[in-house]
């Protein structure tokens, strides 16, 4: 018998068997003074899950339960918790801890803390317990990374915002997206669709940049003001040096990725911010492409607690709705859903639901 409390979840045993999920019991960290115990209601499916269980992002601690777009009810809170109350509907995203003492943490940059820990696949240094994700009955997390969810947002729509949503929202607000600004979104997938929804909600003129016109109708329905297809001849000619910000959600930097063409769209000191993380990819940059506008290239990682709360409030106030397909959680459905996501067979996020049926009440 384990000396630790245990939860139950669907785990993958190895990268070689990444499509096979097994319901197992696993250890969870000792309950701390600042911890919140959450009974999970649903969890969004993220491409990070696939990169992790296939080994695409390197070695992992198996067996592993992934899933880091978690929504549920706070069952109990530690004696020093002030941010969450028992009974609240809450969310947990991709990060579950940082030191809260370093320069980064004290400046709303806790996702850049050198000691930050992921919601799944990290190891608690005091106990050696491996963090496990949201395809499980419960999660136990420090209050700083547990977020109240406004009543106006249904759980299955809120879930994908906890990773994909905040990953798109943070670089928009940090780089000035708003009225009078022209924002481009490269790639209309799970991340890109949130970038479009939030850029429009923030008041920016919003354009989608994609390889073909196949998603143009969806982009317009999401509120995009314009659409550029890079397969078209002279696709960028009429928009040179007119964009203030481009958010790239691209998951492939290989053949056909026209970074020079994208950068030519940026106004003086315009910004290219990458939020996609392709496996084994290198971004090739020509210094000459930076000179014509003095454009800046950067990246963004998740977002702060303050930004997460602001994002949810914006979504509630503006009636923003994720494009989500719900799937009842089971070993078989997780396998099918992961394979569909890997084949980009989704518009534009999945949320696993019906947790009571899988794990009991």
């Amino acid at each position: 018998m384990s000396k630790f409390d245990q939860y139950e979840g669907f785990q993958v045993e190895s990268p070689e068997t990444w499509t096979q999920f097994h319901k197992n019991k696993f250890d969870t960290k000792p309950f701390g003074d600042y911890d919140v115990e959450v009974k999970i209601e649903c969890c969004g499916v993220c491409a990070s899950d696939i990169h992790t269980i296939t080994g695409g992002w390197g070695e992992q601690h198996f067996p592993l339960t992934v899933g880091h777009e978690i929504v549920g009810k706070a069952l109990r809170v530690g004696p020093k918790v002030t941010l969450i109350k028992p009974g609240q509907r809450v969310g947990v995203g991709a990060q579950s801890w940082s030191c809260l003492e370093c320069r980064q943490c004290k400046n709303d940059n806790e996702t850049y803390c050198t000691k930050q820990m992921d919601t799944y696949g990290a190891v608690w240094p005091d106990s050696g317990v491996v963090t496990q994700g949201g395809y499980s009955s419960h999660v136990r997390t420090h209050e700083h990374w547990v977020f109240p969810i406004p009543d106006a947002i249904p759980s299955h729509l809120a879930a994908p915002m906890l990773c994909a949503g905040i990953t798109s929202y943070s670089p928009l607000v940090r780089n000035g997206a708003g009225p009078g600004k022209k924002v481009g979104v490269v790639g209309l997938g799970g991340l890109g669709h949130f970038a479009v929804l939030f850029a429009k909600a923030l008041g920016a003129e919003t354009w989608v940049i994609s390889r073909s016109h196949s998603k143009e109708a969806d982009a317009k329905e999401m509120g995009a003001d314009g659409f550029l297809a890079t397969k078209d001849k002279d696709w960028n000619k009429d928009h040179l040096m007119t964009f203030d910000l481009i958010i790239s959600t691209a998951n492939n930097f290989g053949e056909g990725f026209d970074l020079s063409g994208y950068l030519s769209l940026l106004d003086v000191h315009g910004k290219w911010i990458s939020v996609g993380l392709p496996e084994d990819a290198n971004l090739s940059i020509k210094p000459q492409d930076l000179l014509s506008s003095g454009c800046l290239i950067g990246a963004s990682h998740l977002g702060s607690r303050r930004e997460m709360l602001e994002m949810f409030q914006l979504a509630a106030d503006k009636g923003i709705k994720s494009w989500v397909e719900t799937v009842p959680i089971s070993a078989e459905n997780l396998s099918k859903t992961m394979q569909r996501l890997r084949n980009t067979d989704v518009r534009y996020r999945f949320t696993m639901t019906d947790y009571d049926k899988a794990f009991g009440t």
Side-chain angles (χ1 to χ4, degrees), residues 1 8 14 56 158-159 166 170 195 209 216 251 259 277-278 293 348 352:
M1 177 178 288
E8 190 175 29
S14 71
I166 192 64
S170 178
I209 307 169
E216 185 169 5
N251 59 8
L259 181 62
L277 285 175
S293 64
Y348 281 86
M352 307 307 295

Side-chain angles (χ1 to χ4, degrees), residues 151-265:
D151 292 341
I153 309 175
S155 295
H156 70 287
L157 300 184
M161 295 183 186
L162 286 151
C163 179
I166 192 64
T167 296
S168 302
Y169 176 81
S170 178
L172 288 168
V173 295
R174 289 187 180 220
N175 293 285
K181 301 294 185 179
K182 185 176 180 181
V183 173
V185 177
V186 175
L188 190 62
L191 288 172
H193 106 283
F194 275 121
V196 173
L197 294 172
F198 287 132
K200 280 299 296 181
L202 291 166
E205 179 185 344
T206 304
W207 287 65
V208 170
I209 307 169
S210 190
R211 289 175 182 164
S212 72
H213 289 275
S214 63
K215 296 182 179 179
E216 185 169 5
D218 284 356
K220 295 295 180 64
E221 189 174 344
M222 292 172 194
D225 297 291
F227 192 97
L228 299 176
T230 59
K231 76 172 187 178
D232 291 348
K233 184 180 179 181
D234 297 328
W235 66 272
N236 57 356
K237 181 180 178 181
D238 295 333
H239 298 271
L240 299 176
M241 295 186 71
T242 64
F243 283 81
D244 300 286
L245 171 66
I246 295 176
I247 303 295
S248 171
T249 70
N251 59 8
N252 190 336
F253 294 155
E255 185 178 353
F257 187 78
D258 186 13
L259 181 62
S260 298
Y262 295 133
L263 296 182
S264 71
L265 297 171

Side-chain angles (χ1 to χ4, degrees), residues 92-355:
V92 175
Q95 183 177 351
S96 285
W97 195 85
S98 75
C99 75
L100 298 180
E101 296 177 351
C102 66
R103 176 179 179 179
Q104 287 71 35
C105 286
K106 289 183 180 296
N107 286 282
D108 287 327
N109 287 315
E110 59 267 39
T111 54
Y112 300 98
C113 175
T114 59
K115 299 178 181 179
Q116 74 93 27
M117 292 180 61
D118 293 336
T119 295
Y120 60 71
V123 179
W124 291 106
D126 54 347
S127 65
V129 170
V130 176
T131 61
Q132 302 285 337
Y135 305 137
S136 57
S137 59
H138 300 77
V139 66
R140 184 175 288 178
T141 305
H142 188 289
E143 65 168 342
H144 190 86
W145 290 273
V146 181
F147 311 101
I149 295 175
D151 292 341
I153 309 175
S155 295
H156 70 287
L157 300 184
M161 295 183 186
L162 286 151
C163 179
I166 192 64
T167 296
S168 302
Y169 176 81
S170 178
L172 288 168
V173 295
R174 289 187 180 220
N175 293 285
K181 301 294 185 179
K182 185 176 180 181
V183 173
V185 177
V186 175
L188 190 62
L191 288 172
H193 106 283
F194 275 121
V196 173
L197 294 172
F198 287 132
K200 280 299 296 181
L202 291 166
E205 179 185 344
T206 304
W207 287 65
V208 170
I209 307 169
S210 190
R211 289 175 182 164
S212 72
H213 289 275
S214 63
K215 296 182 179 179
E216 185 169 5
D218 284 356
K220 295 295 180 64
E221 189 174 344
M222 292 172 194
D225 297 291
F227 192 97
L228 299 176
T230 59
K231 76 172 187 178
D232 291 348
K233 184 180 179 181
D234 297 328
W235 66 272
N236 57 356
K237 181 180 178 181
D238 295 333
H239 298 271
L240 299 176
M241 295 186 71
T242 64
F243 283 81
D244 300 286
L245 171 66
I246 295 176
I247 303 295
S248 171
T249 70
N251 59 8
N252 190 336
F253 294 155
E255 185 178 353
F257 187 78
D258 186 13
L259 181 62
S260 298
Y262 295 133
L263 296 182
S264 71
L265 297 171
L266 289 169
D267 196 3
V268 176
H269 294 164
K271 296 180 180 179
W272 165 278
I273 305 296
S274 180
V275 295
L277 285 175
E279 297 176 8
D280 300 321
N282 293 305
L283 189 61
S284 180
I285 302 172
K286 299 177 182 179
Q288 293 87 343
D289 291 335
L290 307 178
L291 291 177
S292 59
S293 64
C295 62
L296 306 171
I297 295 177
S300 182
H301 179 225
L302 299 174
S304 68
R305 177 180 180 84
R306 176 180 57 80
E307 289 168 333
M308 185 77 82
L309 297 177
E310 289 175 354
M311 176 197 70
F312 275 127
Q313 195 57 56
L314 178 69
D317 292 344
K318 298 284 189 176
I320 296 172
K321 291 181 170 57
S322 321
W323 287 34
V324 171
E325 178 181 338
T326 58
V327 182
I329 191 167
S330 68
E332 181 181 4
N333 283 347
L334 279 167
S335 176
K336 291 178 179 178
T337 301
M338 292 293 170
Q339 293 177 75
R340 283 185 58 192
L341 178 57
R342 197 180 205 195
N343 294 326
T344 64
D345 178 21
V346 58
R347 295 174 58 237
Y348 281 86
R349 302 295 289 191
F350 290 114
T351 297
M352 307 307 295
T353 60
D354 291 358
Y355 273 55

